Amino acid sequence: MATTEPRWLDKEQQRTWRAYMAATQLLSDHVDRQLQRDAGMPHTYYSLLVWLSESPGRRMRMTELAERSKITRSRLSHAVARLEEDGWVRREDCATDRRGQVAVLTEEGMRALEKAAPGHVEAVRGALFDRLTPEQTAALGEIMRTVAENLAPRSGADLPWRR
């Protein structure tokens, strides 16, 4: 039985991969530390509040919120429980599915999001967009959309939000 040699990355691909990994880890840490320091919440919680604030009625089924956030149901449940303790989110039973639940952004949660947003956007701008030309921003967006579309789960895939 013949074994196939792995398709190793060439030097430029390896350099690009390592730069990407370093940049995404550093950017994620930068944004998370800023939100923890200034708003008392991790980036994951901030993202959940954003998704809820942008949805009709500031409410979303928990399964859809997990899918949009790209996190497991267990991690979402833990995060929402914590946001409930802070009074920023409440859960309600789903009117159309007795097994489902809906996360609802409270007025207090909306105020917390509005307070956190200016510092967050400044951290993102300062760490990323202020350092790029408009052409680089457009290229980065196109590249990330291409990667995301390629990795988007197909039907029947092992999806994080179904775990």
Side-chain angles (χ1 to χ4, degrees):
M1 181 167 131
T3 59
T4 305
E5 180 71 15
R7 293 181 15 186
W8 299 109
L9 301 179
D10 65 31
K11 284 186 179 187
E12 184 58 25
Q13 290 169 332
Q14 188 65 253
R15 196 172 78 79
T16 300
W17 172 248
R18 289 179 181 177
Y20 166 80
M21 290 302 297
T24 57
Q25 290 169 344
L26 289 167
L27 182 59
S28 179
D29 181 65
H30 175 75
V31 169
D32 199 58
R33 282 185 294 115
Q34 178 275 320
L35 281 166
Q36 287 283 10
R37 181 187 64 240
D38 297 346
M41 71 177 88
H43 190 237
T44 299
Y45 294 9
Y46 178 86
S47 295
L48 294 173
L49 296 179
V50 168
W51 282 117
L52 290 172
S53 76
E54 294 174 347
S55 63
R58 296 183 184 160
R59 60 193 319 109
M60 188 180 295
R61 283 186 59 115
M62 293 283 284
T63 52
E64 184 179 355
L65 188 54
E67 181 176 352
R68 294 249 177 113
S69 304
K70 307 296 185 254
I71 60 177
T72 64
R73 290 184 295 184
S74 173
R75 186 171 179 207
L76 175 66
S77 184
H78 174 75
V80 169
R82 192 54 220 288
L83 292 169
E84 283 179 302
E85 288 173 18
D86 292 336
W88 296 349
V89 171
R90 74 174 180 273
R91 283 186 238 209
E92 296 177 352
D93 291 332
C94 181
T96 59
D97 178 0
R98 294 188 321 166
R99 294 176 300 158
Q101 286 193 314
V102 175
V104 181
L105 180 65
T106 65
E107 286 302 318
E108 190 175 345
M110 190 64 192
R111 285 191 297 275
L113 178 60
E114 289 169 341
K115 183 178 176 189
H120 173 67
V121 75
E122 193 55 42
V124 171
R125 281 189 172 283
L128 182 62
F129 294 109
D130 289 350
R131 303 192 184 297
L132 301 177
T133 66
E135 296 78 18
Q136 288 172 318
T137 298
L140 179 62
E142 184 178 337
I143 291 165
M144 292 296 100
R145 283 186 293 278
T146 299
V147 170
E149 287 169 8
N150 180 60
L151 293 173
R154 306 296 181 250
S155 141
D158 182 23
L159 308 172
W161 48 91
R162 290 190 181 153
R163 288 185 220 141

